[in-house]
Amino acid sequence: MMELQAILMAAGGGSRMMDLTYNTPKPLLPVGNKPLIWYPLNLLERVGFEEVIVITTRDVQKMISTDPRMKLDVKMKLDVVCIQEEADMGTADALRHIQQKIKTDVLVVSCDLITDVALHEVVDLFRAHNATLSMLMSKAHEFTETVPGQKGKKKNGEQRDFVGVDGTGKRLLYMANEADLDQGLVIRKSIMKKHPRMHIKTGLVDAHLYCLKKSVVDFLADNKSISSIRGELVPYLVRKQFSKSTNSPKIKDEADQNLKGKDVSVNPEIQIWFRDEKLLQLSQERSCWNDHRGDMGEAYHGGRLRCYVHIMEEGMCYRVNTLAAYIEANRLAPKLFEEHAIHPSAVISERYLIGADSIIGASCQIADKTSIKRSTIGMSAVVREKVKVTNSIIMHGVTIEEGCNIQGSVICSGAVISRGADIKYCLVGSGQRIDPEAVRTNEVIVGTDQLMEI
Amino acid sequence: MADCGEANGPERKNEIVRAKNEEKELTKEEKQRLRKEKKQQKKQKEKKDDKGSSEKSGREKTLDPLSASQVLSTQSPTQKVPASAPIPVPPSGAPSHSSGAPSHSSSGAPSPADKPAKSKAELKAERRARQEADRASKQQGSSSSSKTKAPASDLNPVVKRLPEHVQVDDPAVVKRLAKKLERQQIPLRSDYGYKVSLFSHLHQYSRKAPLTQLLSIPSSVIHPSIVRLGLQYSQGIVTGSNARSVALLHAFKQVIMDYSTPPNEELSRDLVNKLKPYISFLNQCRPLSASMGNAIKYIKKEISNIPSQYKEEEAKTKLLECIDKYIDEKVVLAAKAISKYAIEKISDGDVILVYGCSSLVNHILCEAFDKNRKFRVIVVDSRPRLEGREALRRLVQIGISCTYVLISALSYVLPEVSKVFLGAHALLANGYVMSRVGTSQIALVARAFNVPVLVCCETYKFCERVQTDSFVSNELDDPDELMVTRKGKTQLEDWHDLSTLGLLNLVYDVTPPDFVDLVITDLGMIPCTSVPVVLRVKNVDQ
């Protein structure tokens, strides 16, 4: 009897870092010389999953199977489900698409999550409290690296998330995005009556890792209006915890009627109730445990729909969906796996200076008198003499000719940096060629055809 | 003959003691050796009986007539003592012994009529002679110990097996447990923190290190509902003897529903083997309670009794029905029956004292209130669990007027209390009541104030264990629960660094039957000492 099915959502476009993703799909962006999709797959494999359903686009699937550079050395069985890129499916739509494959509770992971969380913390909340939803969040860390192409101070374009938790910090009481709120936070009286102490946090990063009950997937199949898990489903479930219909005793009759009449708009809580059998009720009655004290309410206030969150205080948790996050992840992701910083097949000449924080990919050629500090060099890159690379990310197949100086930049795959160029805080797109002796600072260099694609 | 009997006695004793200490490695060969030696000794005795029967009868008569009369007069009462004292000795031994004694005190030599009867009678006679010689030589009453040991060693030596969970300080036992868990693919939970030396033979786990962090996440070895149950046990979400058994049976129902017999296997045998690792897992999460143990025994019996011609679906439905029936009878109906009896004992104007949160006692009080009895309740609570708050909430919710005190105020409130109602975790075979720590204190102080103490307990919580103190077998909870944070400061935060400080968080204690006036069970209201009778009746029924 399977307990959880893992679903990896890898169909996202990376809309906030188009410069990086116009040639390489987001799941295959190299982070620490491994494709981005490797990190959540590694997390699932380490924890003990044996099968994963990967939802992605056809291009990604093709690239995974054909491109030798994208070799994913995972031992799990990957069941790849392709969806049309043009269909513009949200994550909830994707779940609805694979509803037939889902036989039990699901663990939904996003492909851009890099974390070393102890996954049992999230799943234990899901198990112990028989929760409908259990998710992972982390304290956001400030990005310290300079982002190439950023003109001026970083605009706080990101809308804040308001997350309300109870005294223990585990039960999720309130979730709203600043964009949805007109003037202020509106908290219903029913919530305040049941949980008079609520901590509202704003500096949290949502890791997009959700444990959902199977009844939620069935509910999604019936309610086609919900298209995004994060944007719509999660706030809906958090709100429904305290709605009157969940807690009224009339649910039993409704449940019977619904089952007989095959009513389509069945609420998830009714389906959930039906599984809470007589024995579980008896056991809960006889147990002398309560999740709160100070009022006359029974455990969980009799609510059958419960949402929990595990907030990581320490540890790594990044979502690589912006350029700044990508750079930060490249810096820190290598700590997740203990591989040799310098790949054994790299050809490195004698007089080189490679700092401890650097990673050299397979089949690289590093010539004399180069200095590589705090950087990542991708596979099959060619670095000629007297090159100085600091704080940069060099993707696969890049050629850097003699005498270049690259600092704080991202050079995408296949680019060529000609002799003597001085690149500071730039983003060089795929296949671009930088002229010799060019001096570029704080620019985004992409091809003209890409500029048209907006 | 008396000498070689004596030599045999202590030698056999030593061997038994040695065997007990090494009983972990008591292999088949050793057991066979023991059996052979027993047989040989019996043969020796018979031979010597034949030889010395005439001598023996002569010897008895040659005893000093004065000492003989003394011996004879003191013999009959003292002979009864060894009959009652060695309880673990098989009951067949005791009655035959006591029946043998009066016959010997009346007649002198045994009649050498039939061979087998003669050998038994000879054995008894020579034993009696040995005892007389002991008494005559020592001339004190303290030889009863050798007397009891001597007959015990002649009868079948009972090698008691100590349960594994009370031998944590023995590395051989721990290694065996680790091997067994490895075979069943269940992770071993490691002990946490410094254990007080008196309790170092028990496990002590930390709540912050659940067993699930060592399991794979979609748990394949252990059924998901069992993992959920284990997690709920270890985090204290399901507490209370009744709740734990009901939750356990619910989880077993899920297991049975998802079970499918592998080919070439029989459901009755394979399902029981499937349940074994689950039970070990639950034991690792939290030691099993007596009620859970009884429920597991019942389930295993039901599974093994499934006739082989049943198809899988039929068998599964039958098992699910059995589980439902068990819970209905033993928990729900028992609670109704107990409330019926208990309500007779509650009169108007009573002040009832309850301790902690016992689901049964709460049920009784709610029923009594529904039947319009006028009483008020004093709820006594204790740290660190503070379960009385939950009991208080349930009672106040339906309208009973309650007072809430901590256990330190017990002697102040007792003068106004008219009865004490206590719940039990288990009732032991010698009449002791095993319950939440603090219960024996309440019973003791109530006895001092002459307040009647009534224990309410369903019969499925009766267990055959015998325990007279709270040290030998108990449960150690997480010691960090004793830490309290007030105004942001936790005083005991660094207790690990102090080598001389140990925190002890006991869960259970045993109350002697002298402090309990009445036990209310679904079979009626019985005194505490009648528990073995109930157990015997139950075993006969099953």
Side-chain angles (χ1 to χ4, degrees):
Chain A
M1 173 67 200
M2 258 202 304
E3 185 185 1
L4 278 181
Q5 270 178 290
I7 298 178
L8 185 61
M9 297 283 184
S15 47
R16 274 178 281 187
M17 33 188 212
M18 283 313 289
D19 309 317
L20 285 175
T21 56
Y22 68 85
N23 214 12
T24 324
K26 186 169 87 160
L28 301 173
L29 276 180
V31 173
N33 283 346
K34 288 196 196 287
L36 185 55
I37 203 174
W38 182 87
Y39 289 89
L41 285 176
N42 184 38
L43 172 71
L44 293 172
E45 189 175 0
R46 258 188 296 133
V47 161
F49 276 93
E50 284 168 358
E51 286 184 12
V52 181
I53 300 176
V54 181
I55 300 181
T56 182
T57 55
R58 283 196 203 289
D59 307 333
V60 175
Q61 188 194 27
K62 235 184 336 186
M63 286 177 86
I64 290 182
S65 46
T66 58
D67 200 337
R69 292 191 307 209
M70 295 292 152
K71 187 170 61 75
L72 300 167
D73 40 324
V74 285
K75 297 187 195 61
M76 301 186 290
K77 188 170 84 111
L78 297 179
D79 180 7
V80 183
V81 173
C82 292
I83 57 171
Q84 302 285 33
E85 203 172 300
E86 300 79 42
D88 195 20
M89 277 186 156
T91 38
D93 297 326
L95 268 188
R96 203 175 297 127
H97 182 73
I98 56 166
Q99 196 216 351
Q100 302 303 320
K101 288 186 187 254
I102 294 181
K103 310 265 179 295
T104 169
D105 302 336
V106 294
L107 174 69
V108 178
V109 191
S110 170
C111 67
D112 54 9
L113 175 66
I114 298 182
T115 178
D116 62 351
V117 71
L119 206 53
H120 74 91
E121 305 256 6
V122 180
V123 182
D124 278 351
L125 283 174
F126 184 68
R127 290 164 173 157
H129 298 278
N130 213 5
T132 311
L133 161 74
S134 168
M135 55 189 285
L136 173 68
M137 285 191 145
S138 165
K139 281 201 148 66
H141 302 281
E142 276 298 317
F143 294 144
T144 50
E145 306 283 340
T146 326
V147 179
Q150 199 95 69
K151 292 168 174 55
K153 256 175 69 135
K154 191 157 87 97
K155 292 176 292 192
N156 199 6
E158 309 265 331
Q159 298 274 338
R160 284 185 298 176
D161 272 327
F162 292 95
V163 178
V165 293
D166 74 341
T168 61
K170 299 277 174 196
R171 180 90 189 263
L172 192 52
L173 301 174
Y174 183 78
M175 171 157 321
N177 190 285
E178 198 173 338
D180 301 326
L181 303 169
D182 290 328
Q183 285 146 351
L185 284 177
V186 176
I187 300 182
R188 284 156 61 176
K189 199 156 72 159
S190 55
I191 307 181
M192 293 311 296
K193 271 207 274 192
K194 292 178 183 167
H195 299 269
R197 282 179 164 240
M198 192 192 311
H199 298 269
I200 300 193
K201 304 185 185 225
T202 51
L204 292 180
V205 167
D206 185 345
H208 276 226
L209 190 146
Y210 307 108
C211 277
L212 294 166
K213 270 213 154 77
K214 181 168 181 306
S215 50
V216 176
V217 180
D218 299 335
F219 164 73
L220 273 182
D222 296 329
N223 287 34
K224 303 206 195 301
S225 58
I226 297 184
S227 70
S228 157
I229 297 184
R230 175 62 178 89
E232 291 164 46
L233 183 63
V234 171
Y236 175 79
L237 288 176
V238 173
R239 269 200 317 271
K240 270 287 180 198
Q241 284 179 102
F242 303 103
S243 73
K244 283 215 189 75
S245 60
T246 321
N247 303 323
S248 76
K250 285 193 295 194
I251 284 184
K252 186 173 166 207
D253 307 321
E254 279 179 48
D256 294 335
Q257 283 172 10
N258 278 334
L259 285 168
K260 288 188 196 125
K262 286 203 197 303
D263 199 342
V264 174
S265 63
V266 175
N267 286 323
E269 55 269 16
I270 295 178
Q271 292 168 335
I272 292 159
W273 177 90
F274 201 66
R275 289 220 316 257
D276 255 15
E277 305 165 20
K278 201 172 57 119
L279 278 189
L280 268 186
Q281 289 280 74
L282 181 64
S283 161
Q284 201 172 344
E285 271 169 42
R286 297 301 171 109
S287 170
C288 49
W289 176 84
N290 206 325
D291 65 326
H292 64 92
R293 53 184 175 86
D295 66 354
M296 285 288 142
E298 49 174 341
Y300 307 125
H301 295 281
R304 290 171 200 105
L305 206 165
R306 303 183 273 275
C307 300
Y308 284 85
V309 61
H310 172 68
I311 301 181
M312 271 174 80
E313 303 280 323
E314 314 154 327
M316 199 191 313
C317 179
Y318 293 103
R319 282 209 56 231
V320 179
N321 52 3
T322 59
L323 188 52
Y326 177 73
I327 294 176
E328 187 83 11
N330 253 298
R331 197 71 60 230
L332 296 165
K335 297 203 178 70
L336 270 183
F337 54 94
E338 295 98 35
E339 269 185 22
H340 289 297
I342 302 175
H343 200 275
S345 69
V347 173
I348 306 179
S349 64
E350 266 76 50
R351 289 192 297 166
Y352 65 89
L353 185 63
I354 297 185
D357 287 349
S358 302
I359 299 183
I360 315 288
S363 319
C364 281
Q365 289 175 21
I366 315 280
D368 269 350
K369 297 192 195 150
T370 50
S371 156
I372 301 178
K373 293 200 185 105
R374 296 187 80 222
S375 300
T376 310
I377 314 279
M379 293 202 293
S380 312
V382 175
V383 180
R384 303 233 191 274
E385 291 85 2
K386 299 206 188 99
V387 167
K388 204 161 134 202
V389 180
T390 319
N391 252 352
S392 300
I393 300 169
I394 317 284
M395 293 196 200
H396 312 300
V398 170
T399 307
I400 306 182
E401 317 238 330
E402 303 89 36
C404 287
N405 182 4
I406 301 181
Q407 194 177 340
S409 305
V410 178
I411 317 286
C412 294
S413 49
V416 175
I417 315 285
S418 312
R419 300 173 43 238
D422 186 1
I423 314 278
K424 284 199 179 62
Y425 305 116
C426 290
L427 181 121
V428 178
S430 276
Q432 295 303 309
R433 192 190 172 83
I434 306 289
D435 306 318
E437 312 288 338
V439 174
R440 306 291 193 108
T441 311
N442 214 0
E443 280 181 44
V444 175
I445 304 157
V446 293
T448 43
D449 48 339
Q450 263 63 10
L451 283 176
M452 287 307 189
E453 202 184 277
I454 288 186
Chain B
M1 199 167 73
D3 296 322
C4 58
E6 257 182 28
N8 275 343
E11 183 193 270
R12 287 307 310 284
K13 233 192 313 159
N14 286 338
E15 202 179 86
I16 292 170
V17 167
R18 220 183 327 125
K20 264 195 208 163
N21 289 337
E22 308 167 352
E23 63 98 3
K24 300 92 185 169
E25 281 92 56
L26 205 59
T27 55
K28 228 163 73 171
E29 294 86 60
E30 289 189 56
K31 283 191 190 141
Q32 276 180 353
R33 191 171 56 85
L34 270 173
R35 259 182 262 137
K36 263 193 221 158
E37 287 188 48
K38 240 196 320 178
K39 273 194 207 147
Q40 279 178 2
Q41 288 193 346
K42 260 201 175 155
K43 276 199 205 134
Q44 277 179 10
K45 268 181 219 134
E46 281 178 75
K47 265 193 242 155
K48 275 156 193 160
D49 282 342
D50 287 340
K51 261 193 262 168
S53 59
S54 46
E55 293 176 34
K56 209 177 62 65
S57 46
R59 228 177 27 126
E60 279 186 1
K61 291 195 176 110
T62 53
L63 273 175
D64 196 22
L66 215 82
S67 58
S69 57
Q70 262 181 4
V71 157
L72 280 175
S73 56
T74 55
Q75 198 151 38
S76 21
T78 47
Q79 283 290 19
K80 300 280 190 301
V81 169
S84 56
I87 295 178
V89 163
S92 55
S96 57
H97 189 206
S98 49
S99 60
S103 65
H104 281 294
S105 52
S106 50
S107 67
S111 53
D114 357 322
K115 205 57 169 64
K118 179 190 114 177
S119 51
K120 219 164 77 169
E122 287 289 341
L123 277 171
K124 292 204 183 4
E126 67 89 17
R127 234 188 349 254
R128 248 194 70 240
R130 217 187 316 126
Q131 285 158 16
E132 285 165 27
D134 280 344
R135 222 177 294 116
S137 60
K138 286 185 190 169
Q139 288 210 340
Q140 274 164 21
S142 60
S143 59
S144 57
S145 53
S146 61
K147 241 194 335 191
T148 53
K149 283 216 175 99
S153 61
D154 268 336
L155 301 158
N156 297 330
V158 181
V159 180
K160 292 289 283 177
R161 261 184 179 265
L162 281 174
E164 282 168 343
H165 67 271
V166 297
Q167 287 184 291
V168 175
D169 52 353
D170 186 349
V173 174
V174 174
K175 225 174 24 167
R176 242 187 342 151
L177 176 69
K179 255 196 255 172
K180 177 177 111 167
L181 288 178
E182 209 181 332
R183 216 178 36 233
Q184 294 174 331
Q185 294 175 293
I186 293 172
L188 175 71
R189 201 172 182 191
S190 47
D191 284 357
Y192 167 78
Y194 170 73
K195 278 195 274 194
V196 173
S197 58
L198 260 177
F199 292 93
S200 58
H201 62 286
L202 299 170
H203 283 293
Q204 181 171 282
Y205 300 127
S206 164
R207 281 229 176 142
K208 295 202 197 65
L211 200 50
T212 48
Q213 69 190 31
L214 304 165
L215 282 179
S216 68
I217 288 273
S219 68
S220 42
V221 174
I222 304 175
H223 192 273
S225 57
I226 301 275
V227 175
R228 168 178 302 156
L229 186 65
L231 207 56
Q232 288 176 332
Y233 281 164
S234 62
Q235 291 185 356
I237 295 177
V238 176
T239 32
S241 196
N242 281 334
R244 283 166 76 187
S245 324
V246 172
L248 175 74
L249 289 172
H250 170 77
F252 276 175
K253 272 176 85 171
Q254 312 282 39
V255 170
I256 291 175
M257 281 197 275
D258 292 331
Y259 172 76
S260 58
T261 327
N264 302 334
E265 293 276 356
E266 263 197 47
L267 184 135
S268 54
R269 260 169 294 182
D270 188 56
L271 188 53
V272 177
N273 287 340
K274 273 248 157 41
L275 290 181
K276 283 203 185 118
Y278 299 163
I279 295 168
S280 308
F281 173 74
L282 291 175
N283 207 1
Q284 288 284 93
C285 290
R286 194 173 162 195
L288 296 181
S289 67
S291 55
M292 285 166 71
N294 288 342
I296 289 172
K297 269 197 221 130
Y298 172 79
I299 271 277
K300 282 191 176 166
K301 195 173 71 85
E302 286 296 314
I303 295 176
S304 335
N305 287 348
I306 295 244
S308 46
Q309 65 263 27
Y310 269 40
K311 283 200 287 276
E312 188 175 312
E313 284 308 314
E314 282 182 60
K316 283 206 234 180
T317 351
K318 178 165 179 297
L319 283 175
L320 296 176
E321 279 172 15
C322 281
I323 293 181
D324 281 332
K325 196 168 69 100
Y326 183 82
I327 294 180
D328 263 338
E329 268 177 36
K330 307 279 181 184
V331 179
V332 180
L333 285 178
K336 281 209 190 99
I338 294 177
S339 340
K340 197 168 68 81
Y341 290 124
I343 288 174
E344 293 168 29
K345 292 286 176 191
I346 300 179
S347 28
D348 285 345
D350 260 349
V351 179
I352 298 179
L353 187 126
V354 299
Y355 177 63
C357 184
S358 162
S359 55
L360 189 53
V361 173
N362 292 344
H363 185 256
I364 292 173
L365 294 177
C366 296
E367 293 269 310
F369 189 75
D370 285 337
K371 296 212 165 62
N372 294 326
R373 293 275 198 276
K374 306 275 177 291
F375 59 93
R376 68 184 177 91
V377 175
I378 300 184
V379 179
V380 178
D381 203 6
S382 73
R383 278 200 70 230
R385 288 186 173 227
L386 291 171
E387 286 169 337
R389 295 184 295 189
E390 182 61 18
L392 185 67
R393 178 190 75 82
R394 290 181 194 196
L395 297 175
V396 171
Q397 196 176 28
I398 60 167
I400 305 178
S401 56
C402 299
T403 312
Y404 176 87
V405 293
L406 288 180
I407 197 169
S408 38
L410 185 61
S411 50
Y412 298 109
V413 292
L414 261 173
E416 51 186 64
V417 170
S418 57
K419 348 187 126 63
V420 176
F421 271 82
L422 296 174
H425 175 257
L427 241 81
L428 307 175
N430 54 351
Y432 278 66
V433 178
M434 181 164 162
S435 186
R436 189 64 86 219
V437 64
T439 312
S440 69
Q441 189 153 1
I442 302 228
L444 170 71
V445 182
R447 163 68 80 200
F449 279 86
N450 275 328
V451 175
V453 173
L454 294 91
V455 168
C456 310
C457 182
E458 298 97 333
T459 47
Y460 86 107
K461 289 187 197 160
F462 285 22
C463 84
E464 270 143 38
R465 233 172 43 199
V466 170
Q467 207 178 312
T468 52
D469 60 53
S470 322
F471 296 94
V472 66
S473 170
N474 208 322
E475 188 187 326
L476 294 179
D477 208 357
D478 188 357
D480 290 339
E481 300 270 307
L482 290 174
M483 300 199 292
V484 160
T485 307
R486 291 204 177 98
K487 295 190 185 158
K489 277 210 305 190
T490 315
Q491 301 288 13
L492 284 172
E493 216 162 11
D494 319 317
W495 72 274
H496 293 284
D497 304 332
L498 291 167
S499 59
T500 48
L501 179 63
L503 294 188
L504 179 66
N505 191 354
L506 280 180
V507 181
Y508 297 117
D509 71 5
V510 283
T511 311
D514 333 332
F515 297 151
V516 176
D517 293 303
L518 193 63
V519 175
I520 307 181
T521 69
D522 38 326
L523 296 175
M525 300 193 264
I526 58 174
C528 231
T529 45
S530 306
V531 171
V533 178
V534 172
L535 277 173
R536 196 153 33 104
V537 166
K538 241 187 2 160
N539 286 339
V540 162
D541 274 345
Q542 290 171 355

